[in-house]
Amino acid sequence: MEEFVSQGDGHVAVLEHYGLANGISVYDLGCGCGRTAQALQRAGWTGSYIGADVVPELLEELERQCPGYETRMELSQKIAAPDGSLDLIYGWSVFTHLFPPETFLYLRDGLRALQPGGTFLFSILEMADRAHDRVWDNVIDHVERGSRVEQLDQFLHRDWIRRFASEAGFEEVRFTDGADGSQHPPFWQSLAVLKKPAA
Ligand SMILES: C[S@@+](CC[C@H](N)C(=O)[O-])C[C@H]1O[C@@H](n2cnc3c(N)ncnc32)[C@H](O)[C@@H]1O
């Protein structure tokens, strides 16, 4: 529980670094039971929140913990929000469990749902970062032993993300390394920061 809380607070610190402010609209893709939502509430943030997930029980828990926060059960690779309605879409440890074409489709629809100048921020696992080796080693171990992998652990390459972002219509792609405290508060995965062109 302590870790759940401290990680949620860390998520909020990262969001603040990337423009979280009172009054903006955020979309928490793969929100789970609300690690970040609960931290936003603790921080006294006021704005419009939508959390989306594919597991109804997790959304119910988020609603219990954060009354007034909206949730969406969305099974397609869509951002469940009207065109141009969001300032910030973020996804923590979500594209790390999806196939790359799914990630592309979420990015493409995210561009539609963002306001001009809006941001799509998400975490990734990458082979280039040795801090991510423990996930890779674990996958290799499972495959080698022939045991069933419980969930997909998907690594992405920065070149792929640049291509997805450009094909989707984002104008700027930046990467920040969670191990480098000078760029943003610690986050053990790398972060990709995509900007929709301003109007
Ligand atoms: C590792 S958890 C991270 C949860 C949350 N982002 C956090 O940091 O606490 C991944 C979450 O993504 C959700 N998820 C998996 N596939 C998804 C999809 N296609 N669309 C939305 N959420 C998805 C899972 O149900 C789970 O809640």
Side-chain angles (χ1 to χ4, degrees):
M1 187 58 195
E2 221 171 89
E3 203 175 57
F4 182 87
V5 168
S6 65
Q7 287 175 348
D9 292 343
H11 293 175
V12 171
V14 172
L15 290 176
E16 282 169 344
H17 184 82
Y18 285 110
L20 179 77
N22 285 335
I24 72 165
S25 23
V26 304
Y27 188 96
D28 187 348
L29 177 63
C31 58
C33 65
R35 191 193 316 257
T36 315
Q38 293 177 43
L40 285 168
Q41 186 174 251
R42 273 197 304 282
W45 172 75
T46 54
S48 153
Y49 173 95
I50 301 173
D53 208 283
V54 293
V55 180
E57 293 77 15
L58 295 175
L59 294 173
E60 283 159 19
E61 176 62 11
L62 191 156
E63 286 167 6
R64 261 194 301 277
Q65 298 294 336
C66 301
Y69 281 20
E70 282 183 49
T71 63
R72 302 269 195 279
M73 171 78 182
E74 180 56 64
L75 294 175
S76 70
Q77 289 81 35
K78 300 268 187 231
I79 300 297
D83 296 0
S85 62
L86 302 170
D87 294 294
L88 176 61
I89 302 172
Y90 61 88
W92 307 140
S93 305
V94 182
F95 296 157
T96 51
H97 302 299
L98 301 184
F99 292 109
E102 297 179 284
T103 294
F104 169 70
L105 291 173
Y106 276 118
L107 296 183
R108 197 174 67 182
D109 200 51
L111 187 96
R112 173 198 61 75
L114 281 170
Q115 297 197 15
T119 302
F120 200 139
L121 176 61
F122 57 95
S123 66
I124 57 167
L125 291 167
E126 48 182 350
M127 300 300 292
D129 192 331
R130 301 315 297 238
H132 304 169
D133 276 4
R134 66 180 166 85
V135 179
W136 178 249
D137 292 345
N138 188 42
V139 173
I140 293 294
D141 185 52
H142 266 80
V143 174
E144 201 169 33
R145 284 191 286 113
S147 63
R148 204 174 148 267
V149 184
E150 277 169 19
Q151 62 174 5
L152 173 70
D153 284 313
Q154 178 67 55
F155 284 64
L156 283 168
H157 194 285
R158 293 183 183 202
D159 283 352
W160 296 12
I161 294 170
R162 283 192 196 95
R163 175 169 167 176
F164 294 171
S166 139
E167 285 185 8
F170 288 92
E171 72 172 358
E172 184 192 320
V173 186
R174 275 185 298 141
F175 295 95
T176 59
D177 180 347
D180 181 350
S182 65
Q183 294 185 52
H184 58 74
F187 196 103
W188 84 273
Q189 294 171 359
S190 307
L191 300 183
V193 191
L194 279 51
K195 279 269 173 207
K196 177 170 176 167

